Amino acid sequence: PRLLSQFFFADERVTRVVAEINGLDAELDPQQYLVLLNQLHLSQAHLLAVLERIMEECIPTQRHSRDYLVKFPEELLVDNLGNHMLFAAECLLAGTFLEMEEADGAQLRPQARNLLCSLELVRTVLREQSLSQPSSYPEPVRTVLIQFDRLFAEFELSYVSSLVAVKSPEEIYRQQEIIVLFCETVERALHLGYLTQEMIDGYEPLLMFTIPRLAIISGLLIYPEGPLSLERSPEEMSRVFSPFYNLLKKIRDLLWVLSAEELCLLERSLCTAE
């Protein structure tokens, strides 16, 4: 159950797979080479997972901030992002610039080198510690973990920023405005009887359509100064809604001519129509 013992065996597995890859002629046995590469990917992912748990146990209050993750596109926030970063660093150090321009890759190589050197130091220190005192984390262990955590975060932010357009603080704020709009929409819908708490607690699938529809009406009529404010230019709106700027204006113009009873009837129909 001790994390350092788990790390020892995870590290042993990575070392063994790397040795098998180095001793194999990929041209003579390409299928076995691909099998070993997959094993390396899985074993490295397991090693990083154990290392993450060790850092949470050893340096929980000294972890480098990961607040920058909110800037990343949602499709990048996957469980194996850390393993992808490690693979990217290895490719950069080998001179292979995957997914990016050569100039950007060359600029990132020093960071990749520092990260991989730090990982090797962490592996060495934790292996030694697991063989001597697997239940404690002395100061030298803490020091190398803090350094590795910082270098990993810095490389992750730099690498992703070189590939995709990370969200600006303004875009993050706009997304937070949308979250608030949806929360207020749900509260209003519960108050008016459009939705029930049981539907929300039971994750009623229809809510995936109902809440956004009601949120558009709320954003245009009830909270006109919020994220759907058409007083802003399309460039000032969230990218979720800016492509539909002209359509939203037409919807708002139609909503303005409805009476209170007609608006209520419309909202109730949006809660049932598929």
Side-chain angles (χ1 to χ4, degrees):
R2 290 175 297 193
L3 288 177
L4 282 175
S5 298
Q6 294 179 32
F7 181 87
F8 176 85
F9 290 108
D11 187 75
E12 281 279 287
R13 184 182 178 190
V14 172
T15 301
R16 183 172 62 253
V17 175
V18 169
E20 291 184 38
I21 291 177
N22 291 337
L24 181 70
D25 190 328
E27 294 184 357
L28 293 178
D29 196 347
Q31 185 173 0
Q32 179 62 17
Y33 181 72
L34 292 176
V35 170
L36 290 175
L37 279 182
N38 184 59
Q39 291 181 8
L40 178 61
H41 175 80
L42 295 175
S43 61
Q44 285 181 330
H46 179 59
L47 181 70
L48 288 178
V50 177
L51 181 55
E52 177 69 22
R53 292 169 59 196
I54 288 175
M55 290 191 291
E56 282 297 310
E57 181 176 270
C58 179
I59 53 170
T61 61
Q62 297 169 288
R63 298 294 304 273
H64 194 82
S65 172
R66 296 303 198 280
D67 290 347
Y68 59 83
L69 289 175
V70 301
K71 299 181 177 182
F72 290 1
E74 293 183 2
E75 59 269 19
L76 291 183
L77 300 179
V78 293
D79 292 337
N80 63 345
L81 179 60
N83 202 39
H84 183 76
M85 291 300 103
L86 181 59
F87 177 70
E90 292 170 340
C91 289
L92 287 172
L93 197 60
T96 303
F97 306 110
L98 297 177
E99 306 172 318
M100 65 173 55
E101 298 293 333
E102 184 173 347
D104 294 332
Q107 189 173 359
L108 284 173
R109 284 188 71 183
Q111 279 186 280
R113 180 182 297 106
N114 291 338
L115 172 60
L116 294 176
C117 288
S118 178
L119 177 59
E120 286 304 308
L121 179 59
V122 165
R123 291 177 63 184
T124 299
V125 170
L126 290 184
R127 281 175 63 90
E128 293 174 353
Q129 187 64 26
S130 67
L131 293 172
S132 58
Q133 294 179 303
S135 300
S136 64
Y137 300 104
E139 191 58 34
V141 172
R142 297 168 60 86
T143 299
V144 297
L145 288 175
I146 291 172
Q147 181 189 45
F148 170 75
D149 189 47
R150 175 180 60 82
L151 292 173
F152 197 103
E154 291 175 351
F155 176 78
E156 185 174 54
L157 176 58
S158 298
Y159 182 80
V160 173
S161 298
S162 69
L163 293 180
V164 298
V166 298
K167 300 172 186 173
S168 66
E170 291 77 17
E171 178 64 19
I172 294 171
Y173 178 75
R174 291 168 191 153
Q175 288 190 343
Q176 291 173 339
E177 282 189 313
I178 295 174
I179 293 172
V180 172
L181 172 62
F182 273 55
C183 291
E184 292 177 338
T185 297
V186 170
E187 183 178 357
R188 176 175 174 269
L190 288 171
H191 177 71
L192 295 175
Y194 298 154
L195 306 176
T196 65
Q197 190 63 48
E198 289 73 19
M199 294 173 66
I200 296 175
D201 294 341
Y203 301 101
E204 174 63 43
L206 185 60
L207 296 179
M208 296 178 61
F209 303 96
T210 298
I211 294 176
R213 291 167 176 171
L214 293 177
I216 290 175
I217 294 179
S218 295
L220 293 174
L221 292 184
I222 313 301
Y223 311 106
E225 297 181 357
L228 287 182
S229 173
L230 298 179
E231 300 303 318
R232 305 176 181 180
S233 67
E235 293 74 20
E236 294 174 313
M237 297 179 70
S238 169
R239 285 180 288 182
V240 175
F241 294 113
S242 58
F244 310 104
Y245 184 82
N246 292 329
L247 178 60
L248 289 171
K249 291 184 67 174
K250 294 179 181 179
I251 295 175
R252 182 196 61 181
D253 294 342
L254 290 173
L255 293 174
W256 274 351
V257 303
L258 296 179
S259 65
E261 292 77 13
E262 290 171 332
L263 178 62
C264 179
L265 181 62
L266 172 62
E267 290 185 305
R268 286 192 178 279
S269 67
L270 292 177
C271 295
T272 57
E274 296 183 1

